[in-house]
Amino acid sequence: MEYVSTRGSAPTLSFEDVTLAGLASDGGLYVPREWPRLTQDEIADLAGLGYVETCVRICAPFVKGSLTGDELRVLATEAYGSFAHAATVPVVQLDAQHWLMELFHGPTLAFKDVALQLLGRLFETFLANSERQLTIIGATSGDTGSAAIHALAGLERVDVFMMHPKGRISDVQRRQMTTMIAPNIHNLAIEGSFDDAQAHVKRMFGDPAMNRRFDLSAVNSINWARLMAQVVYYFYTAVRLGAPERKVAFSVPTGNFGDVFAGYVAAQMGLPIERLIVATNVNDILHRALSSGDYSVGTVTATAAPSMDIQVSSNFERLLFDMCGRDGPGLAAMMAGFEKEKRLSISDNMQAAATLFTSARIDPDEMSLALRWAQAEAGELIDPHTAIGLAAARQSDLPPHVPIVTLATAHPSKFRDAVERASGARPRLPNRLGGLMDREERCETIHGGYEAFADYVSAHARVRA
Ligand SMILES: *Cc1c(COP(=O)(O)O)cnc(C)c1O
């Protein structure tokens, strides 16, 4: 498969190169040249397959030319062997219409592990055959950072510089990053929001001096291979609930638009999806964009669901690319306007290409209510992000015969203070995390803006002679 940039002027890349690349050189994001299609029979044949085998079938067209099915199977077997549930991604029924897809059984208790456990192994495989030394720069609202660090700690050919907004992530999230002590891992706390950190990442990708010295790469959800890995669980779960004969809807707690975009990809590949519900918290740029065409940046409000406290959703550009008929130069002009004006209006024409989506903005009271409903009605303790998805699912106007699967994106213990505030119950950390709260932490605070960050990276990144 060949990959093209959403802004139309960067070179096309293979799967291997797109996995190791960050942003495209024209500032865009890479997407497959076309969406591969599965026939309804091929989808029906997924019934009864385990998670690894489903992964091999779904990802095969995307990795073609870079990995064989057998090579992919080995990597997926290792990646999903690190999960604490035999089904990898189990589905739990809440009531007659509502289900939870539990994506949090990986090593850091959030759905990001599903993609990053595979990505770490893809990096190792592709770098083993090359002379490259990668400098990974990333910004995290909490969960990406911990999942990336767990996936990449100790790799020889990779240095990781992971920024998080100081004081705005949970203690469990922070400790999952700062207690992984390895020579290639650098945790950086910055004074500002997630969007400020993300802006540093974008700026470094466009900084010629840094690009001359370092082979910069990314593991946030602008990385195509991550999205690919997330497409798998939409198929896996839908087939278990009766697809392709029966259409399923998904409600997705959304921040950077990666997870729900993977659902869109599944639909483009032929999975019959009734609807994708984009659930946001009060940081509702995506809700405004999808409901009224107003994609304009507001200020970020810190909430109990910090992984969704985002205003600029990078992956939305991938949807915009399809919405404007895959017109790269046209989108490049739109995005240049957006970067200047901090707003973009989406025409009715463009919106017509996104009818699969609806959206909802969930406030803190609605979040708490959904969390308590799951606890009282179904005996499930859920985390605040999942509760936002569930609230949006329960507000939807879908008829009762359409199953709605809410993506349970984090284990409740990862956000136990917020869960306790909403429900009165304090979720226990799983035993496999034993000792997390007692281990030594390592983290640098970056005082200052982009220059301070760039200085730190320059002083600490390894280069190959
Ligand atoms: C990252 C994250 C989200 C948002 O996912 P996106 O792909 O950024 O939309 C939601 N919930 C949790 C727990 C997360 O870690």
Side-chain angles (χ1 to χ4, degrees), residues 1-6 8 10-15 18 29-36 61-62 224 318 321-322 325-327:
M1 176 68 78
E2 276 193 331
Y3 291 82
V4 298
S5 165
T6 50
T12 60
L13 296 182
S14 66
F15 177 73
V18 96
L29 303 179
Y30 277 104
V31 288
R33 185 185 283 290
E34 75 244 322
W35 299 121
F62 295 114
W224 165 258
R318 288 186 158 113
F321 183 58
D322 275 11
R326 300 205 137 206
D327 169 11

Side-chain angles (χ1 to χ4, degrees), residues 194-195 221 252-261 276-299 307-320 323 335 338 344 346 351 354 357-362 388:
F194 168 76
D195 287 333
S221 58
V252 190
T254 301
N256 217 5
F257 206 74
D259 209 3
V260 71
F261 187 76
L276 292 169
I277 302 168
V278 175
T280 75
N281 60 20
V282 296
N283 298 297
D284 63 348
I285 180 171
L286 287 169
H287 171 57
R288 285 183 282 114
L290 291 164
S291 59
S292 66
D294 166 29
Y295 189 62
S296 63
V297 180
T299 51
S307 299
M308 301 163 68
D309 293 345
I310 290 175
Q311 281 289 341
V312 181
S313 293
S314 313
N315 279 295
F316 196 58
E317 179 167 342
R318 288 186 158 113
L319 181 66
L320 287 171
M323 286 166 88
M335 293 311 294
F338 174 70
L344 189 157
I346 299 170
Q351 276 192 319
F357 297 95
T358 58
S359 64
R361 171 197 198 265
I362 302 299
I388 286 169

Side-chain angles (χ1 to χ4, degrees), residues 110-112 143 253-259 307-308 383 385 409-410 415:
F111 86 92
K112 309 279 195 314
D143 296 332
T254 301
N256 217 5
F257 206 74
D259 209 3
S307 299
M308 301 163 68
D383 101 290
H385 304 78
T409 49
F415 299 94

Side-chain angles (χ1 to χ4, degrees), residues 163-433:
M163 283 179 279
H164 68 265
K166 189 174 172 136
R168 298 209 191 172
I169 62 176
S170 78
D171 59 342
V172 173
Q173 285 181 309
R174 189 190 68 249
R175 286 184 159 275
Q176 282 181 323
M177 297 197 283
T178 56
T179 61
M180 286 294 281
I181 311 258
N184 69 328
I185 300 297
H186 303 270
N187 278 293
L188 308 176
I190 68 145
E191 280 150 351
S193 69
F194 168 76
D195 287 333
D196 297 328
Q198 180 86 320
H200 290 347
V201 172
K202 285 209 161 170
R203 184 156 163 202
M204 191 166 285
F205 276 117
D207 180 337
M210 293 301 285
N211 280 286
R212 265 195 306 277
R213 281 187 64 191
F214 304 109
D215 194 351
L216 299 177
S217 182
V219 289
N220 59 343
S221 58
I222 64 174
N223 184 296
W224 165 258
R226 274 187 63 178
L227 297 190
M228 173 191 78
Q230 292 170 208
V231 176
V232 176
Y233 47 70
Y234 286 92
F235 277 95
Y236 182 68
T237 299
V239 165
R240 293 172 129 204
L241 296 184
E245 285 77 22
R246 188 192 201 197
K247 279 189 164 187
V248 177
F250 294 93
S251 180
V252 190
T254 301
N256 217 5
F257 206 74
D259 209 3
V260 71
F261 187 76
Y264 169 83
V265 174
Q268 301 313 300
M269 292 176 73
L271 184 66
I273 292 180
E274 177 70 33
R275 184 175 297 174
L276 292 169
I277 302 168
V278 175
T280 75
N281 60 20
V282 296
N283 298 297
D284 63 348
I285 180 171
L286 287 169
H287 171 57
R288 285 183 282 114
L290 291 164
S291 59
S292 66
D294 166 29
Y295 189 62
S296 63
V297 180
T299 51
V300 182
T301 306
T303 73
S307 299
M308 301 163 68
D309 293 345
I310 290 175
Q311 281 289 341
V312 181
S313 293
S314 313
N315 279 295
F316 196 58
E317 179 167 342
R318 288 186 158 113
L319 181 66
L320 287 171
F321 183 58
D322 275 11
M323 286 166 88
C324 65
R326 300 205 137 206
D327 169 11
L331 185 59
M334 272 176 74
M335 293 311 294
F338 174 70
E339 272 151 33
K340 226 171 58 230
E341 311 280 330
K342 301 292 171 211
R343 66 183 344 222
L344 189 157
S345 56
I346 299 170
S347 67
D348 291 349
N349 245 349
M350 286 176 71
Q351 276 192 319
T355 50
L356 192 57
F357 297 95
T358 58
S359 64
R361 171 197 198 265
I362 302 299
D363 69 26
D365 288 341
E366 294 168 310
M367 184 279 285
S368 296
L369 213 68
L371 201 147
R372 287 199 296 275
W373 179 84
Q375 184 188 23
E377 298 299 318
E380 290 288 331
L381 210 49
I382 60 176
D383 101 290
H385 304 78
T386 307
I388 286 169
L390 182 61
R394 287 181 23 91
Q395 285 176 9
S396 91
D397 58 358
L398 287 163
H401 67 268
V402 177
I404 311 180
V405 180
T406 295
L407 275 62
T409 49
H411 190 281
S413 68
K414 195 157 188 180
F415 299 94
R416 54 207 180 138
D417 294 338
V419 172
E420 187 174 11
R421 274 197 300 277
S423 72
R426 187 164 180 82
R428 261 172 35 93
L429 278 175
N431 288 339
R432 64 198 154 88
L433 266 75

